[in-house]
Amino acid sequence: MLEKLVEEFKQIFHSSEAIRCFFAPGRVNLIGEHTDYNGGHVFPCSLSIGTYAVVQKRHDRKIRMYSKNFSEAGVIESSLEQLTYKTEDDWANYPKGVMDTFKKHGYDLPFGFDILFFGNIPNGAGLSSSASIELVTCVLLNKILELNIDMMDLVKMAQQAENEFIGVSCGIMDQFAIGMGKENQAVLLNCQTLEYQYSPLQLTDAVLVISNTNKRRGLADSKYNERRMECERALSDLQTSLSINSLGDLTKEQFEKHKSLIQNEVDCKRAKHAVYENERTKEAVAKLQNGDLKGFGQLMNESHCSLRDDYEVSGKELDALVEAAWLQEGVIGSRMTGAGFGGCTISIVQKAQVDRFVEKVRNTYYEKTSLEAEFYVVTVGEGARELTLEAV
């Protein structure tokens, strides 16, 4: 794979400088959805699939970028003096946003780059291809410019690029999981304090299966920002009587006692999900650590119901995939994952039943939606890093 990418890079950019290669994974969130920007807990893991970047330094201030995933767009050019958001630049706005954020933090970018990107994350599937591009750009800048920036600070800068340059009010989970991921471990993150703990994914005779609805979703175009506003209104109403910083500060009992403070019925439903999902996530991780995989799966199922009914971010395609999964033998738990409105589900399935699961769910889903789902049995990989070129 890496050897082919390097060869293609040489053909496109006619390289003369030293070539370096970087990788940032995609991520999947096992439980804890739409809690990150509400000051709650999430439980994601980084995947073995992700975004590759092959790069060389330039002797001028020009940035030239090419994506194998969008080859029809050709090489997209910019410069370090003109790092502005342009709709026509599409995917290239993400690396540009990171470079702009580095400059805003006072880091000198003394020269430009030629960069080839390739992602084997399904684009628009909700496995965070955008944050993967951001983190691989952060790591390559950090390494090539020898800036020695701590990974947690790179994570925060990638989130800032998404918030300010791209204009999506995402929480920190995606960038955190991609930057801080560890092989065969998920990480419980308190999104308010950024305290975290790794937890081994002991699935014994089960595996993680990601099912892609193939209904494209764009985070910036979805109702993501709308949901965030609804939660902020609910929080503001609760703060008229409660001394809290976020919905993640509330227990279920406290929420039920004070929910009448929330003026709008829809806002109340959104807040209920945020509070209950946060509690559910902490409970689920405790069950996993105690070897209760069945209990973890049940909480995954409850999470989907809450996202469907209270947060209303699933949609018929995601519901069809999850409901088909729930009916299959060997399924321990299944839920939508990511922002919603399309994208993917995550299921824990017994290894012996995976082939049957894929066949049955694929057929049922097609009958209900006329769409072909795609399935990925995934492994949990390391976070964003430089790759060695020894094999090239």
Side-chain angles (χ1 to χ4, degrees), residues 25 45-48 181-185 379-383 385:
C45 57
S46 51
L47 301 174
S48 51
K182 284 191 177 182
E183 188 174 7
N184 296 323
Q185 298 193 61
T379 54
V380 180
E382 286 288 319
R385 60 200 186 272

Short mmCIF file of all heavy atoms in Angstrom, two decimals, residues 25 45-48 181-185 379-383 385:
data_model
loop_
_atom_site.label_atom_id
_atom_site.label_comp_id
_atom_site.label_asym_id
_atom_site.label_seq_id
_atom_site.Cartn_x
_atom_site.Cartn_y
_atom_site.Cartn_z
N PRO A 25 -5.83 7.31 11.93
CA PRO A 25 -6.95 6.38 11.78
C PRO A 25 -8.30 7.08 11.71
O PRO A 25 -8.42 8.27 12.00
CB PRO A 25 -6.86 5.54 13.07
CG PRO A 25 -6.27 6.49 14.07
CD PRO A 25 -5.28 7.32 13.29
N CYS A 45 -12.90 4.28 19.95
CA CYS A 45 -11.62 3.63 19.68
C CYS A 45 -11.17 4.00 18.28
O CYS A 45 -11.99 4.32 17.41
CB CYS A 45 -11.72 2.11 19.83
SG CYS A 45 -12.96 1.31 18.79
N SER A 46 -9.86 4.00 18.07
CA SER A 46 -9.32 4.28 16.75
C SER A 46 -9.26 2.98 15.95
O SER A 46 -9.13 1.89 16.53
CB SER A 46 -7.92 4.91 16.85
OG SER A 46 -7.09 4.14 17.69
N LEU A 47 -9.37 3.09 14.64
CA LEU A 47 -9.47 1.92 13.78
C LEU A 47 -8.18 1.68 12.99
O LEU A 47 -7.31 2.55 12.93
CB LEU A 47 -10.64 2.10 12.81
CG LEU A 47 -12.01 2.32 13.46
CD1 LEU A 47 -13.07 2.64 12.40
CD2 LEU A 47 -12.43 1.10 14.28
N SER A 48 -8.09 0.52 12.39
CA SER A 48 -6.92 0.22 11.57
C SER A 48 -7.02 0.85 10.19
O SER A 48 -6.04 0.92 9.45
CB SER A 48 -6.75 -1.30 11.44
OG SER A 48 -7.95 -1.90 11.03
N GLY A 181 -5.53 7.33 20.19
CA GLY A 181 -5.92 5.92 20.14
C GLY A 181 -4.79 4.96 20.44
O GLY A 181 -3.62 5.26 20.21
N LYS A 182 -5.17 3.80 20.98
CA LYS A 182 -4.20 2.72 21.24
C LYS A 182 -4.75 1.41 20.70
O LYS A 182 -5.96 1.18 20.73
CB LYS A 182 -3.93 2.58 22.75
CG LYS A 182 -3.03 3.65 23.33
CD LYS A 182 -2.62 3.28 24.75
CE LYS A 182 -1.66 4.31 25.32
NZ LYS A 182 -1.21 3.94 26.69
N GLU A 183 -3.84 0.56 20.25
CA GLU A 183 -4.23 -0.72 19.68
C GLU A 183 -4.97 -1.56 20.71
O GLU A 183 -4.55 -1.69 21.87
CB GLU A 183 -2.99 -1.47 19.20
CG GLU A 183 -3.30 -2.72 18.42
CD GLU A 183 -2.05 -3.37 17.83
OE1 GLU A 183 -0.94 -2.90 18.14
OE2 GLU A 183 -2.21 -4.31 17.05
N ASN A 184 -6.11 -2.12 20.27
CA ASN A 184 -6.93 -3.04 21.09
C ASN A 184 -7.47 -2.41 22.38
O ASN A 184 -7.79 -3.12 23.34
CB ASN A 184 -6.16 -4.32 21.42
CG ASN A 184 -5.85 -5.12 20.17
OD1 ASN A 184 -6.67 -5.18 19.24
ND2 ASN A 184 -4.68 -5.72 20.12
N GLN A 185 -7.57 -1.07 22.38
CA GLN A 185 -8.14 -0.40 23.55
C GLN A 185 -9.09 0.70 23.11
O GLN A 185 -8.87 1.37 22.11
CB GLN A 185 -7.04 0.20 24.43
CG GLN A 185 -6.08 -0.84 25.00
CD GLN A 185 -5.21 -0.29 26.09
OE1 GLN A 185 -5.69 0.17 27.12
NE2 GLN A 185 -3.90 -0.32 25.88
N THR A 379 -10.59 -3.88 13.17
CA THR A 379 -9.70 -4.04 14.32
C THR A 379 -9.35 -2.66 14.86
O THR A 379 -9.45 -1.65 14.16
CB THR A 379 -8.42 -4.81 13.93
OG1 THR A 379 -7.81 -4.14 12.82
CG2 THR A 379 -8.73 -6.23 13.53
N VAL A 380 -8.96 -2.64 16.12
CA VAL A 380 -8.68 -1.38 16.81
C VAL A 380 -7.18 -1.10 16.73
O VAL A 380 -6.37 -1.92 17.18
CB VAL A 380 -9.16 -1.45 18.27
CG1 VAL A 380 -8.86 -0.15 19.00
CG2 VAL A 380 -10.66 -1.75 18.30
N GLY A 381 -6.82 0.02 16.11
CA GLY A 381 -5.42 0.31 15.84
C GLY A 381 -4.87 1.48 16.63
O GLY A 381 -5.55 2.09 17.45
N GLU A 382 -3.61 1.82 16.34
CA GLU A 382 -2.90 2.93 17.00
C GLU A 382 -3.39 4.28 16.47
O GLU A 382 -3.95 4.38 15.38
CB GLU A 382 -1.41 2.81 16.75
CG GLU A 382 -0.72 1.72 17.54
CD GLU A 382 -0.61 2.04 19.03
OE1 GLU A 382 -0.32 3.20 19.37
OE2 GLU A 382 -0.81 1.12 19.84
N GLY A 383 -3.11 5.33 17.22
CA GLY A 383 -3.47 6.68 16.84
C GLY A 383 -2.57 7.26 15.76
O GLY A 383 -1.70 6.58 15.20
N ARG A 385 0.26 8.94 13.51
CA ARG A 385 1.69 8.74 13.66
C ARG A 385 2.41 8.82 12.31
O ARG A 385 1.76 8.76 11.26
CB ARG A 385 1.95 7.36 14.25
CG ARG A 385 1.41 6.21 13.38
CD ARG A 385 1.25 4.92 14.17
NE ARG A 385 0.87 3.79 13.33
CZ ARG A 385 -0.40 3.48 13.03
NH1 ARG A 385 -1.40 4.23 13.45
NH2 ARG A 385 -0.65 2.42 12.28
#
